[in-house]
Amino acid sequence: MKDNEILIETKELCKSFGDHEVLKNLNITVSKGEVIAIIGPSGCGKSTFLRSINKLETPTGGKVLVDGTDITDKSVNINKVREKIGMVFQQFNLFPNMTIKNNIMLAPIQLKKMSKEEASNKADELLKRIGLEDKAQSYPSKLSGGQKQRVAIARALAMNPAVMLFDEPTSALDPEMVGEVLSLMKELALDGMTMVVVTHEMGFAKEVATRVLFMNDGEIGEDGTPTEVFDNPKNPRLKEFLSKVL
Amino acid sequence: MKKNRTRKNRLLAIFIIGLICVTTFAAIGCGKSTEDTKDKKVIESVDDIEGTRIGVQSGTTGAIYAEDYEGDEAGTIVERYNKGADAIQSLKLNKIDCVIIDELPALEYVARNPELAILDEEFTLEEYAMCIDKSSTALKLQINDALKELRDNGIYDQIVDYYINNEDGSVEKYVPKDVSRDNGTLIVATNAAFPPYEFYSEGKVTGLDMDLSQAVCDILGMKLQIEDMEFDSIIVAVTSGKADVGVAGMTVTEDRLKNIDFTDSYTTSKQVIVVNTGSTQDIETLSFVEKFKQNFIDDNRYEYLLTGFRNTIIITIGAVIIGIILGFLIAMVRTTHDRIGGLTIINAICRVYVTIIRGTPAMVQLLIMFYIILAAVNNKIVVAVIAFGLNSAAYVSEIVRSGIMAVDPGQMEAGQSLGMTYNMTMIRVILPQAVKNILPALCNELISLIKETSISGYIGLIDLTKGADIIRSNTYEATMPLLAIALIYLAIVMILTGFVHKLEKRLRNNER
């Protein structure tokens, strides 16, 4: 595989809610192996951008190419594309009506990606990896926030996605649980997983990301390596933002 | 185990309290009516009925005569009952002052209720005939010929004598003749609470009119099928084709002739006035055991309750199945439309459907279903199951919809972000959570449905309530049959509530 293979490419991506323009002509590419942290003030469109990549939000203009497929084309089966994109939500969104293990096994079995046995083995393997093999038969309500988010990550990984999207994965967690989730994400990054992470954890962005995007008012304010963005910011709004959060 | 037992005891306790409550209400009801006796008006002739409360059977000629007095200066009040027997029961309880009713039923009622009496002065004379649709001229002529033949060969006299002049038991009941019945079925609509013309005996509708109808069928070579219904439904049943003829001690009146035709008159009758003399000397008060025996054991009357119970359960189960399946489908259509668009036309149909069903009384829906939409369907249970099922579906759909809307939208997003389709996520993730949340509301709907089926009697179906009605019209005793079915309904509902409660608990335990 080529090292700079492009997995996601947006072309003039626009999204408005009524009169309010949230995303303005975004042209962003995500290549294989990249770990991109998207930072920016609240309401700048970070989450909307992330959700446009797997069409949880339908773009109002432009194109989104995932592995070469334009998902804004209505004839494209979006469910097939989503199988390649794992997503982790701020609120975990585990399925409370099934056990942890079934949460992980549901999609691979439903989508006939794996046999029941394969899915079960895969789930055991993932649970071991996140250190929660003893919780396999528990229900989500029994878990702490950090444990829930780790299960949510395992659930997304069970589909063997090509890229993982994280939508503020630690924002709903108690401070003492943030670490366990971030270190799991770091492990993933080190394993070579392509990741797009919307986050307020500047430390994580600095340390783990290969590239940092600063979004402001629906546009890309700055795009560069962590060193460039954090140590040598050029955009005045980024400077202002960093002075508040660092 | 121990916990289980305390639960059972608690259920039993609730049941007993219910029983006591119902009995107390009944006792209060009885006490009140006896007090009313004091200001009762004494009626000795036709002239005295002005200003009184007159009871009549709805749709009868007695009702038409009584209407002349209604709203006069003396303040006459006309109370319309669905059955003659109900009017008589009210008279016994002094809820009304007199009942205007046909002579022969009046004689029966008075014979069985010593405190009642018929005024010597008769109200009016009239002729009974079978009603038949205006388009059925050929059948009308055939019946007229048959009636004439029966008069000529003495069978008519035998039938009348058996029911009216048979104190010594010398006259034999008419027995259906062994003839070939290749000329189809004659469906006869009647109201079997009008002895001796038509009434229930040993689980079957019998009486003078019914024997006469049988004799006519024997001559015409037809099978006889009797349909019991409310008196004022008979003409509608005949004009809508639900029945071929109405034979129910029906008087020929000008108003009726506008809608329907009549055969030649087969007997004459008088309208008479029945009053409650309040003389209790002849009345032997029955003990509880005797009353129980009279209402449930004699004539195997408990079988009406058994049949009724069976039908109530069948109707409820059938309706629940239709209601749940259709209700879920409607809820799915409506939420899918709201969430991801499309389905505009089906969604509009569902909305109109829910609006109409929730905006009209279940009874009206049942009658419309029976007389108009499913007029061609003669199986009443099927009609009732469909009517109540369609009714319940509208309510279930709204319950399910609210349950789906209450599930966090993040659940759908999580499912879809894994590549699962909308339908997969709905079935595997959203609905299981929704169902758990709406279980109490669904249980509530089931409970109201069971009780709602008590209007099935309006299409002549013997459900639990109708079963008690039949017993009441035979024994002229309201307390026992009504208390009995009240307790049966209560027991059914309590058992069901118990089941649902257990199910709820199990579902909740799962996730802890």
Side-chain angles (χ1 to χ4, degrees):
Chain A
M1 259 181 250
K2 287 172 288 176
D3 222 18
N4 57 349
E5 186 187 344
I6 292 173
L7 282 181
I8 296 165
E9 184 174 10
T10 67
K11 289 180 177 172
E12 304 292 319
L13 170 62
C14 295
K15 172 73 184 177
S16 344
F17 293 108
D19 286 342
H20 180 54
E21 271 187 88
V22 187
L23 303 179
K24 298 169 187 166
N25 303 317
L26 291 180
N27 293 297
I28 295 170
T29 55
V30 180
S31 301
K32 189 171 161 57
E34 275 193 297
V35 176
I36 299 180
I38 304 179
I39 58 170
S42 298
C44 69
K46 307 182 296 282
S47 289
T48 309
F49 169 70
L50 200 70
R51 291 160 59 84
S52 298
I53 295 175
N54 65 354
K55 218 179 174 184
L56 284 184
E57 301 289 353
T58 308
T60 41
K63 288 183 175 178
V64 178
L65 302 174
V66 175
D67 218 2
T69 313
D70 179 12
I71 63 165
T72 58
D73 180 350
K74 281 192 175 142
S75 64
V76 166
N77 181 353
I78 184 65
N79 297 314
K80 279 283 160 211
V81 179
R82 282 172 178 158
E83 289 179 12
K84 297 183 214 164
I85 309 173
M87 183 152 188
V88 175
F89 300 85
Q90 182 178 349
Q91 298 294 340
F92 332 126
N93 293 347
L94 293 182
F95 307 134
N97 56 317
M98 45 187 95
T99 62
I100 300 304
K101 193 169 173 181
N102 284 338
N103 260 275
I104 298 172
M105 289 164 60
L106 179 70
I109 293 176
Q110 285 287 306
L111 297 166
K112 304 197 164 53
K113 286 266 152 191
M114 298 173 198
S115 69
K116 263 194 179 156
E117 209 188 332
E118 285 168 336
S120 171
N121 291 338
K122 176 88 183 172
D124 288 337
E125 180 196 312
L126 285 165
L127 282 170
K128 200 168 174 200
R129 181 169 173 188
I130 62 172
L132 290 174
E133 56 267 62
D134 56 324
K135 300 284 186 195
Q137 298 310 320
S138 303
Y139 282 84
S141 56
K142 292 278 195 202
L143 269 55
S144 72
Q147 290 173 327
K148 281 184 195 166
Q149 196 59 298
R150 280 148 63 200
V151 172
I153 293 172
R155 181 176 68 178
L157 290 174
M159 290 294 292
N160 295 321
V163 56
M164 287 279 284
L165 310 179
F166 293 84
D167 189 3
E168 305 197 21
T170 56
S171 299
L173 295 177
D174 289 340
E176 76 268 25
M177 291 171 183
V178 171
E180 58 187 84
V181 173
L182 288 182
S183 63
L184 176 59
M185 288 168 64
K186 191 175 163 187
E187 271 175 47
L188 275 182
L190 292 175
D191 283 354
M193 174 62 78
T194 310
M195 293 163 64
V196 182
V197 186
V198 170
T199 187
H200 293 293
E201 296 293 331
M202 295 306 148
F204 177 81
K206 247 184 203 170
E207 186 193 345
V208 182
T210 57
R211 188 174 150 204
V212 178
L213 291 180
F214 170 68
M215 266 185 89
N216 184 44
D217 204 16
E219 293 168 327
I220 300 297
E222 196 142 340
D223 179 353
T225 63
T227 330
E228 285 166 358
V229 171
F230 288 110
D231 299 341
N232 191 14
K234 294 177 193 81
N235 185 309
R237 300 297 299 273
L238 173 58
K239 288 180 190 166
E240 188 191 331
F241 175 72
L242 290 176
S243 70
K244 280 182 193 157
V245 297
L246 288 179
Chain B
M1 236 8 242
K2 198 183 168 196
K3 204 175 165 198
N4 220 342
R5 198 173 307 146
T6 37
R7 218 178 116 57
K8 265 181 202 148
N9 286 342
R10 207 171 64 211
L11 279 179
L12 194 69
I14 297 173
F15 192 74
I16 290 167
I17 292 168
L19 181 95
I20 294 168
C21 288
V22 175
T23 325
T24 321
F25 283 134
I28 294 169
C30 290
K32 209 171 176 189
S33 58
T34 18
E35 273 170 41
D36 285 349
T37 327
K38 286 169 199 158
D39 46 78
K40 194 174 89 80
K41 299 214 169 71
V42 180
I43 301 173
E44 280 161 350
S45 77
V46 176
D47 302 331
D48 294 336
I49 70 171
E50 277 180 38
T52 62
R53 292 164 300 176
I54 309 172
V56 294
Q57 181 180 1
S58 175
T60 60
T61 41
I64 296 169
Y65 299 132
E67 268 166 24
D68 295 343
Y69 293 91
E70 193 172 24
D72 60 6
E73 283 173 9
T76 313
I77 295 168
V78 178
E79 306 253 7
R80 292 169 180 80
Y81 294 85
N82 278 329
K83 288 195 281 285
D86 284 348
I88 294 294
Q89 253 175 48
S90 285
L91 180 64
K92 281 178 70 180
L93 296 171
N94 284 313
K95 288 181 188 293
I96 47 179
D97 300 314
C98 65
V99 172
I100 301 179
I101 197 161
D102 306 55
E103 184 186 25
L104 289 186
L107 285 168
E108 287 269 335
Y109 296 139
V110 171
R112 295 195 215 173
N113 300 287
E115 71 269 45
L116 301 184
I118 297 175
L119 294 190
D120 289 338
E121 194 175 356
E122 62 204 36
F123 202 64
T124 167
L125 192 74
E126 56 191 20
E127 296 196 320
Y128 285 172
M130 300 180 182
C131 68
I132 187 163
D133 192 65
K134 287 184 171 173
S135 63
S136 315
T137 332
L139 180 63
K140 181 181 140 183
L141 293 176
Q142 283 179 314
I143 293 176
N144 283 341
D145 287 346
L147 286 172
K148 187 166 182 305
E149 189 181 328
L150 291 171
R151 276 187 196 277
D152 292 346
N153 65 15
I155 290 179
Y156 172 81
D157 289 332
Q158 181 202 338
I159 292 172
V160 173
D161 285 347
Y162 173 74
Y163 286 101
I164 299 169
N165 305 315
N166 202 14
E167 284 84 8
D168 52 355
S170 60
V171 187
E172 303 221 341
K173 183 170 162 44
Y174 179 78
V175 188
K177 291 222 163 60
D178 187 18
V179 293
S180 78
R181 300 179 191 276
D182 302 331
N183 297 335
T185 305
L186 187 74
I187 303 175
V188 170
T190 193
N191 172 236
F194 203 59
Y197 294 102
E198 40 267 330
F199 54 95
Y200 271 92
S201 174
E202 288 167 4
K204 285 204 176 98
V205 180
T206 179
L208 195 159
D209 281 349
M210 299 302 105
D211 284 3
L212 195 60
S213 302
Q214 182 63 58
V216 167
C217 280
D218 290 350
I219 291 173
L220 301 182
M222 294 176 89
K223 284 189 212 76
L224 175 66
Q225 183 186 331
I226 297 168
E227 294 291 338
D228 177 31
M229 58 187 71
E230 300 301 330
F231 186 77
D232 42 13
S233 298
I234 293 173
I235 289 180
V236 187
V238 172
T239 50
S240 69
K242 278 267 167 195
D244 298 313
V245 287
V247 190
M250 195 177 275
T251 313
V252 185
T253 66
E254 284 191 14
D255 269 342
R256 285 175 184 159
L257 280 169
K258 284 177 194 155
N259 294 313
I260 203 151
D261 210 351
F262 282 92
T263 63
D264 293 344
S265 154
Y266 59 85
T267 188
T268 54
S269 172
K270 294 173 235 172
Q271 292 287 323
V272 295
I273 299 170
V274 183
V275 294
N276 188 342
T277 59
S279 86
T280 46
Q281 41 183 230
D282 298 339
I283 305 172
E284 26 175 337
T285 27
L286 296 177
S287 72
F288 181 87
V289 177
E290 283 166 325
K291 271 191 176 176
F292 187 88
K293 190 170 165 294
Q294 180 204 16
N295 277 294
F296 303 122
I297 312 291
D298 290 355
D299 204 15
N300 286 340
R301 292 202 173 103
Y302 67 91
E303 280 177 8
Y304 296 113
L305 292 188
L306 282 186
T307 313
F309 178 79
R310 202 191 61 217
N311 286 341
T312 293
I313 296 291
I314 293 174
I315 296 169
T316 308
I317 292 176
V320 162
I321 293 171
I322 294 181
I324 296 274
I325 294 175
L326 195 61
F328 268 83
L329 286 178
I330 294 172
M332 297 307 303
V333 167
R334 296 207 53 196
T335 35
T336 306
H337 172 83
D338 289 352
R339 293 244 169 107
I340 55 175
L343 305 174
T344 319
I345 294 172
I346 310 178
N347 180 60
I349 294 172
C350 289
R351 282 185 63 167
V352 170
Y353 171 77
V354 171
T355 309
I356 291 177
I357 295 288
R358 292 203 302 178
T360 51
M363 166 130 79
V364 176
Q365 292 163 18
L366 179 68
L367 293 176
I368 288 178
M369 207 47 93
F370 185 66
Y371 288 113
I372 303 169
I373 300 174
L374 296 178
V377 179
N378 273 321
N379 187 330
K380 289 172 178 170
I381 295 205
V382 170
V383 174
V385 164
I386 292 176
F388 288 115
L390 292 183
N391 177 276
S392 185
Y395 293 92
V396 170
S397 77
E398 287 297 281
I399 294 172
V400 174
R401 207 162 69 90
S402 71
I404 292 174
M405 287 195 296
V407 175
D408 178 7
Q411 294 286 310
M412 178 55 85
E413 290 185 349
Q416 291 192 308
S417 75
L418 288 164
M420 292 201 292
T421 62
Y422 176 88
N423 288 340
M424 271 181 208
T425 315
M426 192 50 113
I427 292 165
R428 301 301 301 245
V429 177
I430 312 289
L431 281 181
Q433 296 180 49
V435 166
K436 195 187 55 169
N437 291 337
I438 60 176
L439 217 52
L442 278 181
C443 173
N444 215 9
E445 166 57 22
L446 173 59
I447 288 172
S448 20
L449 178 62
I450 293 169
K451 291 178 294 180
E452 201 127 86
T453 60
S454 62
I455 56 176
S456 303
Y458 277 88
I459 59 167
L461 229 174
I462 302 183
D463 74 320
L464 205 44
T465 306
K466 177 79 177 180
D469 274 357
I470 295 172
I471 296 181
R472 261 185 330 130
S473 64
N474 277 331
T475 62
Y476 307 96
E477 229 281 313
T479 322
M480 280 269 178
L482 290 180
L483 280 187
I485 58 163
L487 286 173
I488 296 173
Y489 279 115
L490 183 63
I492 300 175
V493 168
M494 283 178 59
I495 291 169
L496 260 165
T497 318
F499 272 131
V500 176
H501 192 83
K502 262 190 189 152
L503 184 65
E504 240 175 86
K505 239 181 174 174
R506 239 183 61 188
L507 283 176
R508 225 178 298 137
N509 280 345
N510 261 349
E511 287 167 26
R512 279 194 187 140

